[in-house]
Amino acid sequence: MNLSALFDLSLRGRAQRLALEYTSHTGDVRPLTFSDVDGRASRMAQELVARGVGRGDRLCVHLANRVEFIDIFLACVRLGVVMVPMNVLYRERELRHIVSDSEPKAIVAARDSDAVYPAGAPVWFVEELAERAASREAERPAVAVDGDDPALIVYTSGTTGTAKGAVLSHNNLAANGITLTTVWRITDRDRYLAVLPLFHVHGLGNGIHSWLISGCTMRLLERFEQRTAAAVLADFKPTLFFGVPTVYVRLLDSSVISDEQARAVGDTARLFVSGSAPLPAHVHEAFRTKFGHTILERYGMSEALMIMSNPYEGDRRAGSVGPPLPGVSARVMGDDGIALGDGDVGEVEIRSSSLFKEYWKRPDATTAAFDDGWFRTGDLGVRSSDGYYTLRGRRGDLIISGGFNIYPREIEELLLEDARVHEAAVVGVPDDVRGEVPIAYVVADDAFDVSELHQVCRAQLASFKVPRTFLRIDALPRTALGKVQKHLLPPWDRRITSA
Ligand code: MLC
């Protein structure tokens, strides 16, 4: 089934109900019915057709959360156009790879974006697209889109440092959305507060899809901001909330939301879900005390969408990601390629109806990611005798900061572009709010002030990837074969001032 048919349960079936509230550029909150959302999507689709975009073409989208993001996503879904969402914090260097790899018809961007866009595709300003779309007929394009057609290419870096595009089909996204609305009991009586970025699968694959499938009412925020969080929660009174752990840590801060305000939020809420990074057990506990709700932690990946979830009914266990979701099979594999029993730690491998088929134009990487039809998640985990999984770190050296993935290799490669830097190793160190933050160890010319690297990173990388500090060392610890042993790097002392 293509996603349009699924979304029509709400766009047509609940046409006159309140679908969406969003903040306009003038700052007022505007309502749209599902019929309004439907009409906007059709007009945007007509505008894209007029610009020569059709089934199978890619369209890169570099936008913060705004209503036009939804118009464009729905238009792409109807036309069979493959949307390539790009992190709004990405700079030219990061965008260049995605654009050259995905070969889009165009890049959609905001007029006030300060990003420099790479050559290779025209930039279409979203303001102009929206204005032109508004003057078109709200007529549905007649395109036959198949369930196996790709709907999204989501770039996710690998150990090589260059991002690979995970191709997600309409069927993958449909399976994920139907599963979540069922197992988390999402209905059209819900009020979903969308604070997560739409350019990632958490905000888009889970949030937008659950909204459209269930027909609930969504309030779309440009981003989560602690300054305004209490007022928005009190005003919108969400029943449903998806966050990354950093968001929950912020909500525990009494200067963000008082105990009294939190109790009021808890009284009208139904479900808080956390994912994209491990939720510390003490945050789980403190949230229950403050808000009166037990956060439901789940586990997913861009390539596979959602994989495991604590139960809606039953024991939501702190520190565990629960059993596999319906439609997902999981196993824990040992280094020798033999499946392990309960209680033993190994790599989690899965099969699932929401699992991607391939990395875009990367057959070798695709082959390497699968083990006899099972996807190697790269996550280490253990299963309890009653089927709950607990994750125990990663095989590779991924850093997760505020729910954003950081691949050390990408930063190391940038640092090594400076001829005065001879060796570089980036690692994650614990951070109370963001989970982890990156720091860099560098071996460099004596005369070189390594703190200058801060500016280089700031100019070329998304802000969350910029190392907090640059530490000079004499040599990287290596094995006899020359492999860097990051665990042997000198411990980082927090008193060292960040560059
Ligand atoms: C952070 N910044 C943002 C931003 N988040 N800018 C625009 N949009 C956003 N969503 C920038 C800020 O401008 C600032 O930049 C810097 O990041 C730190 O901002 P902050 O206000 O101090 O942020 P913080 O309180 O740390 O909160 C950050 C956050 C954000 C939690 C709101 O990290 C976030 O939205 N994370 C969600 C990530 C996510 O959705 N991941 C899902 C991946 S999918 P500067 O330049 O001033 O430093 C996946 C699969 C799965 O992993 O299972 O879900």
Side-chain angles (χ1 to χ4, degrees), residues 406-429:
I406 303 172
Y407 293 86
R409 181 74 183 268
E410 183 188 1
I411 305 167
E412 291 159 5
E413 281 172 8
L414 171 63
L415 299 177
L416 288 168
E417 283 177 15
D418 189 317
R420 294 166 296 181
V421 175
H422 309 304
E423 297 187 282
V426 171
V427 297
V429 294

Side-chain angles (χ1 to χ4, degrees), residues 88-89 196-197 200-202 223-224 226 244 246-247 250 275-276 298-302 306 402-405 434 458 463:
V88 76
L89 297 167
L196 293 174
H200 273 320
V201 303
H202 197 163
R223 57 167 301 204
F224 175 81
Q226 46 179 337
V244 296
T246 302
V247 167
R250 295 280 189 219
S276 309
R298 57 70 182 171
Y299 159 56
M301 282 179 79
S302 299
M306 296 308 107
F404 289 122
N405 289 357
R434 300 202 176 88
R458 194 78 207 165
S463 55

Side-chain angles (χ1 to χ4, degrees), residues 72-87:
I72 296 167
F73 174 61
L74 288 175
C76 289
V77 160
R78 286 177 190 186
L79 295 169
V81 171
V82 189
M83 182 168 166
V84 185
M86 304 195 292
N87 190 320

